[in-house]
Amino acid sequence: MDTFWDWFWLMVWWFFFIAYLMLLFHILTDLFRDKQLSGWWKAVWVVGLIVFPFLVALIYLVARGGGMAERYADDSRMAREATDDYIRATAGTGRSPTAEIADAKALLDGGAIDEAEFARLKATILA
């Protein structure tokens, strides 16, 4: 490793190796994410990836690439919906507008807010 080109080609090979590992893990993740594929077919794919890794990875991408994208999009959509539901559940107080207006009135009576702020809060609550 004395020349620039030796280092350059080493980096190129490392890049392709890491890209291949990422592809391999993505394929394995997709295999186990697929609910329609039987366990035996999953085992056949895994054994194929071990015995002929590059060829089987290429075949998998050609044969099941469209399904990979759909499963990934479905999982992303479900995760987004779960996150939105969690945010709605924790952010919302679940209280009635009457109770919130009563709290705002208590703040007004206590001097924490003025009439303009109370009117704005009331309008927001009733909207």
Side-chain angles (χ1 to χ4, degrees), residues 102-115 118:
D103 288 344
K105 179 68 173 155
L107 289 173
L108 176 66
D109 294 341
I113 59 174
D114 60 1
E115 284 289 336
F118 175 72

Side-chain angles (χ1 to χ4, degrees), residues 33-109:
R33 181 186 302 157
D34 190 2
K35 295 176 182 94
Q36 297 174 346
L37 194 62
S38 73
W40 289 106
W41 278 111
K42 290 177 184 180
V44 168
W45 280 110
V46 170
V47 168
L49 285 169
I50 292 169
V51 175
F52 299 109
F54 296 109
L55 179 64
V56 173
L58 182 63
I59 292 170
Y60 188 88
L61 290 176
V62 170
R64 298 180 46 88
M68 277 177 86
E70 290 170 8
R71 282 184 291 281
Y72 182 75
D74 288 343
D75 283 352
S76 296
R77 181 185 46 76
M78 287 190 318
R80 186 175 355 101
E81 288 173 0
T83 302
D84 291 346
D85 291 343
Y86 174 76
I87 290 171
R88 277 189 214 99
T90 56
T93 59
R95 296 176 37 182
S96 69
T98 306
E100 291 185 29
I101 291 173
D103 288 344
K105 179 68 173 155
L107 289 173
L108 176 66
D109 294 341

Side-chain angles (χ1 to χ4, degrees), residues 6-26:
D6 290 337
W7 282 103
F8 175 78
W9 289 113
L10 178 68
M11 292 299 114
V12 168
W13 282 111
W14 272 109
F15 171 79
F16 283 115
F17 178 70
I18 291 171
Y20 169 72
L21 287 179
M22 290 174 63
L23 176 67
L24 185 66
F25 288 122
H26 194 71

